[in-house]
Each structure stands twice: as structure tokens, then as C-alpha cells.
Amino acid sequence: METSQLSPKVVKGRMGRQRHGKRVLPSDPVPHRKEEKSSAPHRKEKEKKKKFDIGKLFINISIGLCIFSLTWFFYALYMRNSLAKRVVTLHYAPRVLDDNSTSPAVSPERFWGSYRPQVYFGMKTRSPRSVVTGLMWLRQFSETDVNLRHTCEQGDRLPSYGWLLHDGLGFGVQEIRDSDFTLTTEFVKRPGGEHGGDWTWRVTAKQHSSAAQPPVISLMFYVATDTQGSLQAHVEERNRLGSVTGYSEELGNFKVTFQKPSSGEAASAKYASYNFLKTVTQGLEKLTDIVRNSLNRRFVFSLPSGEKRPYIAVDTYKPPHQQHQQKHADTRKESDFVVHQVTVQTPFQVEVLFESGSFRDRPGQLVGAAMTEELEKRKAAFDLKFERTFGLQGRGFSPSQVKFSKAALSNMLGGMGYFHGQSVVQSAYNEYPLLYPEGALFTAVPSRSFFPRGFLWDEGFHQLLLSKWDPQVTREATGHWLDLINVEGWIPREQILGDEARSKVPAEFVVQRNENANPPTLFLALQELLEQLERSPEASTATVPFLRRLFPRLQTWFEWYNTTQTGPLPNSYRWRGRDKDTNLFLNPKTLTSGLDDYPRASHPSADERHVDLHCWMALASGVMARVARLLGEPHGEYERTHRTLSDGGLLDELHWSEQLRAFADFGNHTQAVSLQQEKVYVPPGQPRHQFPVARLVRAVRRAPKPQYVNALGYVSLFPFLLHVLRPDSPRLQHVLRDLRDPDKLWTPYGLRSLSKADPLYMKRNTEHDAPYWRGPIWININYLAVRALHHYGNAEGPYRETAAALYQELRTNVVSNVYRQYVETGYIWEQYNDSTGRGQGSHPFTGWSALTVLMMAEQF
């Protein structure tokens, strides 16, 4: 109301002041200061909040990173542990062979056998902890140290030993020639009861005509349990061990009877001395040492002439635990061990009888005339089957040559072993080696003296011969090998199962590494089974169900090769596991290829391509396609792989060297290498023996470069050996030319492993490592060559006549030389000298060298 009384001028001025005051307000500083004070803390609060938010963000990111890192760490740890376990995790598929497949209930005829190839004469059952039996012997009154024989040793220098006849089932005849006497060991089995029946041994000793006087020999027959079972010794006539009775889970009750020696006639040998030993052992590998350490010279032998002489014998009075002191306590369970020693002058004969307690209706003891009659029946049946299978008499071979071929087959059958134990394995994810799961292996062995265990790449060659004689053996052996496969698809390439097997292997070869392969030669054996099916459809009753159970494992095995052994280019392959220390080797070895020191690229690298492995994969994919098609399984991918790997254009692109006119490996290579004595500086006045010994080390005179490896030899032949080349391929002409060139591979005794013109021909790989696959003749590759010549000599193509002529010539050369060396030396050998044809290396080697029988029979 008062406002309305004011003059407009006053109102205007007041309003003007208000507007002005809103802008400047110089007379009212409080609100201004209040605004300043309130906005500054607000900015600080904002800045503080901003800083807090960034810090919080960093903390959250850090926490997130920590959680992620920990998660990744534990995941990586989990994955590493998972991958580390895979190497010892067996394949998930059902086993090819049932757990009881070797039991006496399922396979009574094969339960007992000479499945101890590492000893001169011994038997066991096909069970994990078998009761074992064996023979040791020594010559009395020898001028040398105690020459106790037990395990097959090349150092024993026996003139010869080996099976003359062995059917792989029920009987065997072996001849062992010692210095001045010969032991003939025979066994025969009789089925009956529930535990594999009975068997009898006969050992006949005869002096050589050159012997100055009849030798006096001690035979030591023994029985030992292997942590399972018990034995009781039964002594007659003071110290003669008459028999041993026992019990084990697999055998039930049993009895082993030691007959008195006879002179080969009805009357017993008049002069014989007896000793026995009953003790315990912590391992079968210790049996020789226990007997050796128990020997005593305090006994007296009465010669037929009336002369009395001290002789060596096991001492029955020595307390068992004092005979073999050990430095370290052995935690293994003690097993019973009983030895019966009979000492007698030659000639004489001794029989040992095993009787099963469950065989209650036996027609009489299998001894004397009854044993002789049974042996003769078995020999006649063997001879008939041998001729029906191989037809050598019909091909005009002499009786001596037929006898040789029977010995070759028999030695492989007699060299079948049944092993049980754990391999020692390692992967990249394991800091230390691990024990593989326990497993069994029924397999042939390459050499009873030097390699008495299973080798993956040898076994495929073994089964090429055995599949002709007894396909069931091939099915069982192949099934045992594939049942050892792990979940990755890897099979340890060298099987060292059990203490006896491990005692024969140098430490550096015990551990098996899961990146390392071996040639998949079992596909050769499977190829043979498939071809038997085509020839005889009735074989499908056993083979098709076997292949069906085998197939899941076979798929994984093939895939393992096809992924872990791939090369740098598509459809190329490379062996893993080459020696890494290039400084010490003239050419780093490739043990995994089976060809050991065969020259590869001088400087191992991931860029290598190996022609032999390419061809093995071509073979394997073809067999996989056939098996899958037979079983009605998807087979298209295998067929595509086979077509690709068999394509001549791809093979040329990856492995044909136009410069060398040959197939070759490719890699980082130089030929300018040599071994030279390294220089060791010895300061003046210092004694030389305090400084390292000078070694031979590799000198490289010219730097390596990526190129084809100019080594002509077995590897160059693989496209031909495994029939990858088409019969009309122009490359075949060059292969046949090189094969027949005496300056390269041809010799009068077979094909040498490396060309005579090669710079590494017969060169040592280290100062201690003699040439192995650098010139000597190997029978397995010569068998493949003869087989390939037979194939190309019967296929339409421009080189048919050349191949056929070479087939006849090479077959004759190989067979003649192996036979001649057997007659001259008493052995079939690991390899043969390319200059003289003489056998060399380990012996007897009746693994793949026994393939000579198939060459004689012309069965490929």
C-alpha cells in the first residue's frame, strides 16, 4: 500500500538499484563471500571424488588382473597336470584282448611256453607273476674261471645255439654247442586239467669228437616263484633233490620231478653227484648271481676211472641270507628259489617232469618212451605243416636249406616272450619320468642275447612271417601292442617290462618319451591279415571281430602320427627325437626312424621333411581305409589321405631332387662336416692327466642351408619299398638304376644301406659309435626290396621286365648269403658286411633276419 504512495521516480530508482545490485552489489559483500566459500569446497570435493574414482578403478582393475592371473595360473596348472597325466593314461576304448585272454581257461594250449627268450632254456606261463623254470650249466675241471651259463650272452662265445624245431605251441628242440660238448634241449607239452597241463624237458649232453676226454658237466635245473606262490623241496638219498611241490594262484598245486640221469640207454648213469639249494630271491634278475655266489669247491666227484677230484657245486649248507649281501635294502617281496644240480660225465640224458595237480586222468607220466613217442608225433606234424605253408621242398631247396629255414622260423617262435611290468616314460609336461600303468606284452624279440624285449618297429616285420604260420599269434601280439596305447595315441617304442628285461638295458635307453615315434610297421602285418581275408574268406570268423575291437585304438594311433609327426609343409612329415647335441655327432642320429645313424640333415631343425615317414603314412592310411571299409566305418577321409600321400606330383614336390635324381629328405644341411680331435690347452709345466681328455668333435667347414640331403641309400628307396610309386612312374627307372649300381647299393650279398659313393659311407658317428646303417646289409629292408621288385615285376608298366630280372638276382643273393653264413658261423645275424657278406652285429638275430624264409618261399 505504501508503495503506491511513492513517486514513480523513487520506485524507478529503487528498482534500478535492485537491478544494479544484482549485478555488482558492492555494498553487500557477505553473499559474495558466501558464494566463494561454498563453491571452492565443492570443486575440491569433485576433484577428490574424481581422484577417488580413478584410484578405485585402478584397484578394481588390479584386483581383476590378479583374479584373472590366478585363474589363468590355476587353469594352466590344471592343464599342465592334466597333460602330464595323459602320458600315463591308457586309451579309453575297451581292450582288444580280455584280461583273461592268456589264462589257462581261455587259452590252455598257449599257457605254458618257452616265453623266457633271454635264457638259454626256460619256461613260464603267460601270467603276470608266473612260476618260472630254467636251466644253468657249467663245465667242471675247467682251466678258466667258473663259466656258469644261464642268460643268453654274446660274451659266452658259444659256437652256436638256437631252436631247430619249435611250433609255437606244444614242443621245441634246441641245440646248444659249447666248447667241447653239445646240449640238446627238448620239451613237449600234454594238455589236461584246468591249468595248462603237463610238460617234460629232456637234456642230452654229448661230447664233441674233438674233445680230448669226456667232459664232466653240471646241469642246474631250477624253479622260482615271482612274488606269488610257494615251493617245498623234497630231498632223497641224502642230498639228491627228488622233486619240488608247490602252489600258485594260476597253477594250483603242481609237482616238478627230477629224474636220475641215464647214459641214453635203460640204465641210469652210474657216476653222478647231486647238490641242491633252497633259498629266496627278491627278483628273477638275481638268479644267476645267487647261484654264482653260492658255489663252493669243497665237494668231491668220483670219476668212472676211480679218480676223485674236487668239483664246484651249490652249497646246500650255506644259510640263504648270507649268500648275497646287498648294499641297499631291497623292499621287494621274497620269492622261493630251488636249484637241483646233477654232475655227470658225458654222454648222458636227464629228464625233468612238470605235473599239474588238476590233471587227474593222465594216461601215465610223460617220460622216457612216452615222451619220445610224443616228440616224434609233433616233429612229423611240424614238418608237414611247414611244407604245406612254405613249400620249400617243392621249390627245389636242398634238405640242408630246408633245415636252415625251419630253424629260422623256429627261432622266431622260440623267441616269443611274455613280459609284464611298467615302462618308464616322460613327456614335456613332466619334470621327472613316470611309471606307465602295468601291462603285459606277448611279442617276438629281435635277439635273445642282445635285444630280449619288445621293439615296436621290429614287431611288424616279425609278424609278416608269423602270420603265415599262425595268424592267431599275429592277432594276439598285435592286440597286446595296441592295448599298451595311451589316450594320446602313443605307444612306447621300446618295451622294457619287468626286472629281468630292465637288467639287460643300458640306463640311457630306459626312459621312453611320448613325442618319439617308431615306424608303424604293424600296418604291414594288418595288411597281410587283410590279404589273407581276401584269399580265404573263412578267416573272417576270427579276423573281423579282432579288427573291430582293434579299430578305435588303431584310429587314435594313426591320428597320433598324423598330428605329432607332421612336417613344415602340408602333407609332409618329420621324425621327432633327433639327437640335439650336434657338436658330438658326425650326423645327429634319428633313433625314432628305426634307421639310427642313417644320414639326415646335418643340422636338425623344424624345417625337415623325411621321405621314409611320408611313405609309412601312405601305407598306414591305405590300410586304415581298407579296415574301415571292411567294418562299415567312415573311410572317406582315410582314402583321401591315401590318395594325397600316394600322389606322384606331391611326392616329387616334397622329396624329388632333380640334381640327385633320387628321392631325398629335405632340411638344413651341409656335406662339409668331419670329426676332428678337439684342442685342449695344457699350460706349460702342468701335468696332462689333470686336464680333460681330448674328444672327437664335429667340425663344420661350410655353413648349412635348406636343401635336399644328398644321401643315397635305404631312405631314398622308400617310395619304391612301400609301393607308393605307380608302376608307370618315370622315377622308378632311376630307383632301379641306383639299386643295381655296384658303386652305389648293389652287392653280391644284398643291398647295402648307404651308397658306397656317399661321404658318410662306413664313417663312425662318434669315436665310440661305429657305423650301423651306413653300409651294412639289413635283411628287413632287403626283404622289402625283394617284395617290391616282385610287385613291380608283376604289374603292367614300362619297367616290368627290369624289375622281374632284378627280383630273381637280389632274392638269390640275399638268401644264399644268409644261408651260407648260418652254415659257416652257426648263426643268423643282425646285419651282413657289404664287402664280404660276413655276418656281424648281434647274434643270434632271428627277428626280421628270419624273413629270409619268406623270400625263399616267394610269399610277399
Side-chain angles (χ1 to χ4, degrees):
M1 298 293 287
E2 284 185 348
T3 308
S4 62
Q5 296 177 359
L6 295 173
S7 65
K9 192 174 182 179
V10 173
V11 172
K12 186 179 178 184
R14 187 179 286 180
M15 292 295 289
R17 284 197 297 270
Q18 284 180 350
R19 287 194 296 271
H20 180 74
K22 280 185 178 179
R23 289 195 301 272
V24 182
L25 296 176
S27 60
D28 190 9
V30 176
H32 180 72
R33 286 196 300 270
K34 188 175 180 183
E35 187 178 327
E36 278 186 339
K37 285 181 180 177
S38 64
S39 64
H42 183 65
R43 282 197 305 272
K44 288 179 180 177
E45 193 176 330
K46 269 188 167 183
E47 288 173 4
K48 190 185 287 185
K49 188 176 181 182
K50 191 175 181 182
K51 287 179 180 176
F52 175 75
D53 289 342
I54 292 172
K56 189 175 181 181
L57 180 64
F58 275 120
I59 291 171
N60 288 339
I61 291 172
S62 299
I63 291 171
L65 285 172
C66 287
I67 292 171
F68 177 78
S69 299
L70 284 171
T71 304
W72 178 255
F73 171 77
F74 284 114
Y75 175 74
L77 194 63
Y78 165 77
M79 287 303 296
R80 184 178 178 86
N81 288 337
S82 177
L83 290 169
K85 289 177 183 174
R86 285 173 67 81
V87 71
V88 290
T89 302
L90 292 178
H91 198 276
Y92 52 82
R95 294 170 62 84
V96 181
L97 302 171
D98 294 329
D99 288 338
N100 66 342
S101 64
T102 59
S103 69
V106 175
S107 183
E109 71 283 359
R110 298 185 196 273
F111 188 54
W112 273 105
S114 53
Y115 305 135
R116 302 183 67 208
Q118 70 274 20
V119 300
Y120 287 113
F121 190 46
M123 289 175 69
K124 63 176 289 188
T125 62
R126 294 203 302 176
S127 54
R129 299 287 177 223
S130 173
V131 170
V132 303
T133 58
L135 169 70
M136 304 182 196
W137 77 90
L138 61 84
R139 189 191 189 288
Q140 296 290 347
F141 319 133
S142 174
E143 295 178 359
T144 60
D145 290 336
V146 176
N147 55 348
L148 183 67
R149 315 289 201 202
H150 178 215
T151 57
C152 301
E153 304 291 344
Q154 292 192 166
D156 286 345
R157 301 188 182 280
L158 296 180
S160 70
Y161 68 92
W163 297 99
L164 302 178
L165 301 170
H166 199 303
D167 66 352
L169 276 175
F171 92 108
V173 178
Q174 179 181 219
E175 189 174 86
I176 305 170
R177 292 178 62 83
D178 209 325
S179 54
D180 54 357
F181 62 91
T182 296
L183 297 179
T184 302
T185 69
E186 300 168 296
F187 79 89
V188 66
K189 290 158 57 179
R190 174 192 278 171
E194 301 166 3
H195 299 91
D198 297 347
W199 52 257
T200 301
W201 287 359
R202 177 182 289 165
V203 181
T204 305
K206 292 183 179 179
Q207 70 189 78
H208 295 167
S209 57
S210 58
Q213 55 187 8
V216 174
I217 303 166
S218 288
L219 300 182
M220 300 174 187
F221 300 98
Y222 66 81
V223 185
T225 61
D226 187 9
T227 73
Q228 185 247 108
S230 58
L231 302 174
Q232 295 81 42
H234 302 277
V235 182
E236 305 171 355
E237 305 169 11
R238 293 189 309 164
N239 61 346
R240 192 183 87 80
L241 188 66
S243 63
V244 172
T245 55
Y247 174 84
S248 79
E249 189 177 327
E250 289 91 1
L251 293 173
N253 292 306
F254 61 87
K255 182 180 182 181
V256 179
T257 304
F258 304 106
Q259 304 282 94
K260 288 185 175 181
S262 70
S263 57
E265 301 168 359
S268 296
K270 185 176 180 181
Y271 300 95
S273 293
Y274 302 98
N275 303 81
F276 78 92
L277 174 69
K278 186 179 189 307
T279 184
V280 293
T281 176
Q282 282 85 15
L284 298 180
E285 81 282 7
K286 300 177 182 295
L287 301 185
T288 307
D289 288 340
I290 288 174
V291 169
R292 194 186 305 277
N293 291 328
S294 76
L295 296 176
N296 199 313
R297 296 177 182 270
R298 68 183 185 82
F299 304 98
V300 177
F301 181 76
S302 298
L303 289 160
S305 63
E307 181 187 0
K308 296 183 183 297
R309 298 185 64 179
Y311 74 98
I312 303 167
V314 293
D315 196 336
T316 58
Y317 299 103
K318 186 173 289 187
H321 289 291
Q322 293 180 8
Q323 65 189 22
H324 187 59
Q325 296 294 336
Q326 293 178 323
K327 294 178 181 178
H328 303 287
D330 197 325
T331 57
R332 285 177 293 180
K333 182 179 176 183
E334 291 183 338
S335 302
D336 288 345
F337 178 36
V338 180
V339 182
H340 164 67
Q341 176 175 337
V342 54
T343 303
V344 64
Q345 182 174 286
T346 57
F348 66 89
Q349 192 174 88
V350 181
E351 292 179 351
V352 177
L353 170 66
F354 173 90
E355 294 175 297
S356 170
S358 63
F359 192 173
R360 297 180 182 88
D361 55 350
R362 66 173 55 87
Q365 287 191 321
L366 189 62
V367 293
M371 181 190 180
T372 301
E373 183 182 353
E374 187 62 31
L375 268 173
E376 292 307 313
K377 286 181 184 176
R378 301 285 184 130
K379 290 177 184 178
F382 177 89
D383 290 343
L384 191 63
K385 181 179 179 180
F386 188 88
E387 182 58 25
R388 190 172 63 244
T389 304
F390 301 110
L392 299 189
Q393 290 178 4
R395 292 182 179 276
F397 286 100
S398 70
S400 177
Q401 289 171 318
V402 172
K403 182 180 178 182
F404 151 75
S405 61
K406 288 178 180 177
L409 171 69
S410 297
N411 271 290
M412 188 179 282
L413 287 164
M416 295 291 294
Y418 184 87
F419 305 95
H420 189 275
Q422 295 175 276
S423 292
V424 183
V425 303
Q426 188 163 17
S427 77
Y429 302 101
N430 301 113
E431 187 176 356
Y432 301 104
L434 302 175
L435 284 175
Y436 208 66
E438 279 199 355
L441 181 64
F442 180 54
T443 185
V445 304
S447 170
R448 291 170 62 189
S449 62
F450 212 73
F451 303 110
R453 54 192 179 277
F455 287 80
L456 182 56
W457 104 285
D458 292 66
E459 189 62 7
F461 288 109
H462 299 161
Q463 295 308 323
L464 281 173
L465 175 59
L466 295 181
S467 61
K468 304 284 189 182
W469 177 258
D470 188 349
Q472 178 61 20
V473 168
T474 298
R475 288 190 290 267
E476 287 200 31
T478 305
H480 270 99
W481 274 100
L482 268 295
D483 276 339
L484 291 170
I485 195 171
N486 74 1
V487 71
E488 299 170 322
W490 172 68
I491 304 173
R493 67 187 187 88
E494 188 172 342
Q495 294 292 327
I496 309 166
L497 305 179
D499 295 324
E500 279 192 289
R502 196 166 297 167
S503 67
K504 300 276 283 185
V505 182
E508 65 265 28
F509 298 118
V510 170
V511 179
Q512 307 292 297
R513 290 173 172 78
N514 73 332
E515 71 272 15
N516 291 349
N518 231 194
T521 57
L522 288 175
F523 282 104
L524 287 170
L526 293 173
Q527 188 179 53
E528 170 60 26
L529 290 179
L530 290 169
E531 288 171 6
Q532 287 182 12
L533 272 180
E534 292 178 1
R535 293 192 298 267
S536 307
E538 64 272 12
S540 63
T541 309
T543 298
V544 173
F546 161 73
L547 291 174
R548 194 169 296 284
R549 297 192 69 166
L550 189 74
F551 190 64
R553 293 166 178 268
L554 210 56
Q555 284 179 297
T556 311
W557 194 41
F558 176 83
E559 193 56 33
W560 181 85
Y561 280 95
N562 210 29
T563 53
T564 68
Q565 306 297 303
T566 52
L569 298 180
N571 301 305
S572 68
Y573 294 90
R574 173 174 68 89
W575 295 111
R576 302 312 197 262
R578 293 197 64 193
D579 280 330
K580 299 292 192 296
D581 193 349
T582 57
N583 186 46
L584 294 180
F585 299 99
L586 184 61
N587 188 274
K589 289 185 289 190
T590 316
L591 295 174
T592 51
S593 73
L595 303 177
D596 297 17
D597 66 343
Y598 185 93
R600 306 280 183 172
S602 62
H603 290 66
S605 71
D607 296 324
E608 289 179 57
R609 308 194 296 263
H610 295 137
V611 63
D612 53 333
L613 183 50
H614 180 106
C615 297
W616 283 120
M617 294 308 296
L619 167 79
S621 57
V623 173
M624 287 298 299
R626 290 177 68 181
V627 173
R629 198 162 47 244
L630 175 70
L631 300 177
E633 297 285 348
H635 52 81
E637 189 60 37
Y638 296 121
E639 288 181 341
R640 282 189 291 274
T641 301
H642 181 62
R643 281 197 302 271
T644 299
L645 297 180
S646 303
D647 179 71
L650 175 68
L651 196 59
D652 283 356
E653 179 186 339
L654 294 175
H655 291 292
W656 179 258
S657 168
E658 195 59 42
Q659 180 185 357
L660 303 172
R661 293 280 180 163
F663 291 104
D665 288 344
F666 186 90
N668 194 30
H669 182 64
T670 177
Q671 200 172 341
V673 294
S674 60
L675 289 178
Q676 296 181 5
Q677 197 86 10
E678 69 177 342
K679 295 178 180 178
V680 177
Y681 176 69
V682 180
Q686 296 295 320
R688 179 67 183 83
H689 67 272
Q690 293 182 0
F691 292 84
V693 176
R695 303 172 302 172
L696 283 179
V697 294
R698 186 168 77 164
V700 181
R701 300 185 302 278
R702 188 166 56 251
K705 64 179 181 179
Q707 60 180 311
Y708 286 107
V709 180
N710 57 338
L712 178 71
Y714 285 168
V715 165
S716 318
L717 301 181
F718 264 86
F720 157 77
L721 297 175
L722 296 182
H723 310 174
V724 180
L725 286 179
R726 291 173 55 85
D728 59 355
S729 169
R731 307 304 185 206
L732 188 56
Q733 178 182 9
H734 298 290
V735 171
L736 298 177
R737 179 203 62 205
D738 290 340
L739 182 150
R740 185 58 185 85
D741 189 339
D743 292 327
K744 294 180 178 177
L745 303 181
W746 189 267
T747 81
Y749 321 109
L751 301 178
R752 58 170 63 92
S753 44
L754 186 63
S755 169
K756 204 172 182 180
D758 192 276
L760 296 189
Y761 167 73
M762 293 307 292
K763 290 287 194 301
R764 301 183 72 88
N765 207 37
T766 70
E767 57 187 314
H768 306 295
D769 196 358
Y772 203 46
W773 291 83
R774 297 186 180 177
I777 296 163
W778 292 81
I779 301 305
N780 62 328
I781 304 297
N782 273 270
Y783 166 80
L784 291 179
V786 170
R787 187 184 78 143
L789 289 169
H790 184 268
H791 168 74
Y792 290 110
N794 286 280
E796 288 297 331
Y799 314 109
R800 181 176 182 176
E801 290 184 8
T802 303
L806 285 175
Y807 164 75
Q808 295 294 347
E809 200 174 355
L810 181 60
R811 171 177 170 263
T812 300
N813 288 353
V814 175
V815 169
S816 299
N817 188 63
V818 175
Y819 167 68
R820 182 168 55 249
Q821 290 302 309
Y822 177 77
V823 172
E824 290 180 7
T825 68
Y827 292 106
I828 295 175
W829 293 79
E830 180 183 16
Q831 51 178 245
Y832 294 84
N833 187 285
D834 66 311
S835 298
T836 65
R838 187 159 181 80
Q840 58 189 30
S842 63
H843 59 279
F845 195 94
T846 38
W848 61 43
S849 292
L851 289 171
T852 308
V853 177
L854 291 184
M855 288 186 260
M856 295 171 75
E858 298 188 270
Q859 294 187 10
F860 306 108

